[in-house]
Amino acid sequence: MTSRRTLLGTAALGTAAAAMVRAAPAMAQPGIVQGEAAHTLRFIPQADVAQIDPLSSTSYALRNHGHMCWDTLYGLDADYRPQPQLAEGHVVEDDGRRWVFTLRDGPTFHDGEKIRAADAVASVRRWMARDTHGQTLAARMDEIRALDDRRFEIRLKRPFGVMLDALGKASSYPCFIMPERFANLPATQQLTEIVGSGPYRFVAEERRSGSQVVYRRYDRYVPTPVGTPGVTAGPKLAHFERMVWLNIADPGTASAALQAGEVDMWERMQNDQRPILARRRDVVIDRIETVGTVVMLRPNHLHPPFDDPAVRRALWPAIVQSDYMQAIMGDDRRLWSDGVGCFPPGSALASDEGLSVLTGPRDIAAAKAAVAATGKAGAKVVVLDPADQPNNNALTLVAIDMLKKVGFEVEDAVSDWGSMLQRRGNRAPPSQGGWNAVVVLFGGDDLSNPGGHPLLRANGQDAWFGWPTIPRLESLRDEWLEAPDAEAQKRIGRAIQAQFFQDVPYWPLGQYFVDCAYRRGLQVGRRGMTLPLNVKREA
């Protein structure tokens, strides 16, 4: 499904990156670890770290960069339950309307300053402006203030039972704790400097946009003394003095570099390299991320033609989820699922409510007629296409083909990943640099409930890119947050999915599973998210 133009472009990027890897000093030769290489982990992330402010985008490469540099108040264990991280603990009073948090004594920022309650307060405030959980917390909050250097309180108008889930979320967006002077910046103003609170320091002078990001261990980092390493909970251990993240876009080049021992770890192995790497005794293929990745096609609700819900609904008969999954994962059904609604298969809220619009007979002609009935046949649709991301690109090409078949005039807006992220934030009409649709990938854990599901948020200008305004979805989300028990949550979850198929904040395209590949001799110390923390070489 990938065009020759795309293959040539990514190959060129990959070859240049591989040449840079081979030219790096003190590089480990195959089977030999010596000198500086023994203290360096060379890691291929899923995409370039195009920005450095973790609140500027929900990009997972940026999220992982955030976890290298900053800490959170709470982290998630292997069962996705929040556990203390920078926080020592908390107390809840006044029937859930007063929370008092105490920070651990000892952790410092990378400039040597102690982490204080005032830093946490400012960081929570900045995070609330961006995150879906945070926005809900802000609406329920009376006050947040520091009580002393180690304690701060949050006073609420009404209880917020998912407080720890919100403050401890690992993704989209984590509540990273920054120095007060940085956290006081508006969330819309990107950081240009990193003073972190986590186990690794960002080495700004060695950053090479599009190709390399470098981190060094922060020797004064104090890991939490409690818990077992899970997704982001438990002690965060920096076993390497130095980490080099190398953006190698071409899968064949990345695979060759791993086989040659020029890199140690490939975060998200491309499926077409599985047969090759599976034959290598010196390479381990490991499913670290167990909740899968959900693919979605997000329309821009601000501009025609997808500002009209009738147009959005018209596409349901044309969507064949298996087409998208086979384009990137092949025919092996162990690697993907279709029949995916607004909650991931296997999650507590997944149901068959309304799912027949996706599982019933597929009919391009019916979709084309439905589009024509809205008067929008022939409308121009600009689709963002990051050609240096193989999965996104292949999925986008399938989506473009579908949109053309139902009667739209489609522009394939090809760019690199960083440029796509910039354009995705543009709210202007497509003719002025905006867009109409974009393929989106999120881990299943980000989408498991309406409290944190970024693409189910429908609060207009404060919603995730695409900016839908759907009052009924918002009111159902509020009902879910107030639900007294799991059964009530499931009932409301079904109502949300029924409304989802009517209002169509996005189109789900399936769920797939990606494995990590790394050199034998590495030990991976965390599960659930492929973070290169707690990774070490076997003795």
Side-chain angles (χ1 to χ4, degrees):
M1 300 301 299
T2 305
S3 68
R4 182 174 183 271
R5 173 195 61 193
T6 299
L7 287 173
L8 289 173
T10 54
L13 287 169
T15 301
M20 181 268 295
V21 173
R22 285 189 281 271
M27 178 62 66
Q29 299 301 315
I32 301 175
V33 177
Q34 59 185 6
E36 183 186 349
H39 304 286
T40 301
L41 183 77
R42 290 175 171 82
F43 177 78
I44 304 175
Q46 57 187 277
D48 182 36
V49 180
Q51 297 140 320
I52 63 171
D53 185 341
L55 291 185
S56 63
S57 167
T58 50
S59 158
Y60 282 176
L62 180 57
R63 172 204 68 185
N64 293 354
H65 155 82
H67 282 294
M68 297 287 288
C69 298
W70 288 279
D71 232 335
T72 52
L73 294 166
Y74 290 79
L76 299 181
D77 65 17
D79 295 316
Y80 290 88
R81 297 172 302 193
Q83 304 292 343
Q85 190 57 243
L86 268 180
E88 184 176 88
H90 63 275
V91 295
V92 185
E93 301 170 342
D94 193 18
D95 295 325
R97 289 191 291 271
R98 182 175 187 255
W99 292 68
V100 177
F101 297 89
T102 302
L103 302 180
R104 288 192 286 122
D105 188 21
T108 63
F109 289 112
H110 295 169
D111 60 3
E113 294 294 321
K114 290 191 69 171
I115 298 173
R116 305 165 302 132
D119 302 305
V121 167
S123 297
V124 170
R125 286 189 181 279
R126 189 170 193 261
W127 163 80
M128 285 193 301
R130 294 288 283 176
D131 181 67
T132 54
H133 274 105
Q135 291 167 1
T136 306
L137 173 59
R140 296 177 178 222
M141 192 170 68
D142 263 337
E143 183 182 23
I144 179 172
R145 67 188 182 104
L147 301 177
D148 52 40
D149 275 357
R150 289 184 58 203
R151 296 182 307 139
F152 69 96
E153 72 169 355
I154 297 178
R155 289 187 176 273
L156 302 170
K157 301 169 187 173
R158 53 188 172 132
F160 184 57
V162 294
M163 177 75 79
L164 299 185
D165 301 88
L167 296 178
K169 66 188 302 187
S171 193
S172 304
Y173 296 89
C175 184
F176 292 120
I177 303 304
M178 306 174 178
E180 183 181 17
R181 65 186 185 278
F182 295 108
N184 278 337
L185 293 173
T188 53
Q189 180 179 336
Q190 290 194 32
L191 301 179
T192 57
E193 178 186 356
I194 291 179
V195 176
S197 53
Y200 278 91
R201 305 177 67 151
F202 174 65
V203 185
E205 62 271 21
E206 292 193 57
R207 182 188 183 195
R208 304 290 181 266
S209 181
S211 62
Q212 174 179 284
V213 181
V214 177
Y215 306 91
R216 284 196 177 275
R217 180 168 56 205
Y218 178 49
D219 290 333
R220 292 184 60 185
Y221 179 72
V222 182
T224 179
V226 300
T228 301
V231 182
T232 54
K236 294 179 178 177
L237 304 178
H239 291 294
F240 290 90
E241 175 62 31
R242 178 178 167 89
M243 284 221 190
V244 180
W245 290 19
L246 296 158
N247 183 40
I248 304 179
D250 177 63
T253 306
S255 176
L258 183 67
Q259 293 174 69
E262 295 170 339
V263 296
D264 303 294
M265 193 171 185
W266 187 7
E267 181 186 357
R268 292 172 71 85
M269 176 192 72
Q270 287 296 123
N271 193 53
D272 62 358
Q273 296 299 313
R274 183 183 300 273
I276 298 168
L277 295 178
R279 294 194 293 267
R280 298 284 304 214
R281 292 185 178 182
D282 51 357
V283 173
V284 177
I285 297 175
D286 191 357
R287 183 158 298 174
I288 296 173
E289 300 177 12
T290 56
V291 294
T293 299
V294 176
V295 180
M296 296 158 281
L297 181 62
R298 177 69 152 191
N300 191 328
H301 293 246
L302 299 181
H303 306 294
F306 298 133
D307 59 339
D308 182 350
V311 178
R312 301 195 298 269
R313 285 193 294 271
L315 265 62
W316 285 130
I319 293 174
V320 184
Q321 291 186 341
S322 58
D323 286 352
Y324 293 88
M325 296 299 95
Q326 288 172 337
I328 57 173
M329 302 305 291
D331 296 328
D332 189 345
R333 291 298 300 259
R334 294 172 298 178
L335 301 178
W336 55 268
S337 301
D338 52 4
V340 177
C342 65
F343 300 111
S347 63
L349 297 182
S351 75
D352 60 359
E353 183 68 40
L355 205 58
S356 60
V357 301
L358 284 169
T359 58
R362 304 292 81 199
D363 192 337
I364 283 284
K368 187 173 183 178
V371 170
T374 68
K376 301 296 174 60
K380 186 172 182 179
V381 172
V382 175
V383 182
L384 302 184
D385 182 1
D388 59 344
Q389 297 302 303
N391 281 354
N392 295 65
N393 174 251
L395 292 161
T396 300
L397 294 176
V398 179
I400 287 173
D401 182 62
M402 176 197 69
L403 291 168
K404 287 180 178 178
K405 286 178 177 177
V406 300
F408 294 113
E409 178 190 339
V410 183
E411 177 186 331
D412 183 1
V414 176
S415 70
D416 59 38
W417 176 250
S419 299
M420 187 280 289
L421 293 179
Q422 291 280 348
R423 187 169 182 179
R424 189 179 67 180
N426 190 336
R427 302 180 194 227
S431 61
Q432 300 174 28
W435 55 278
N436 292 111
V438 61
V439 166
V440 179
L441 314 180
F442 268 96
D445 51 322
D446 274 336
L447 313 176
S448 61
N449 68 68
H453 194 315
L455 274 72
L456 272 185
R457 206 70 220 272
N459 53 337
Q461 295 296 315
D462 290 327
W464 197 82
F465 307 101
W467 308 284
T469 300
I470 307 173
R472 181 57 181 153
L473 272 182
E474 284 293 293
S475 64
L476 285 169
R477 179 178 182 271
D478 288 340
E479 287 182 33
W480 184 87
L481 288 166
E482 300 286 352
D485 53 43
E487 284 306 309
Q489 288 181 337
K490 288 181 181 179
R491 174 179 53 78
I492 298 167
R494 292 185 71 91
I496 287 172
Q497 183 153 295
Q499 194 67 39
F500 165 84
F501 284 121
Q502 286 298 307
D503 289 322
V504 199
Y506 66 89
W507 300 280
L509 304 179
Q511 177 191 40
Y512 68 97
F513 299 90
V514 175
D515 294 331
C516 175
Y518 52 86
R519 299 287 299 177
R520 192 170 299 279
L522 286 184
Q523 293 181 354
V524 176
R526 290 181 175 273
R527 297 276 150 182
M529 184 183 295
T530 312
L531 287 173
L533 297 172
N534 298 68
V535 175
K536 64 180 180 180
R537 297 196 195 277
E538 294 176 353

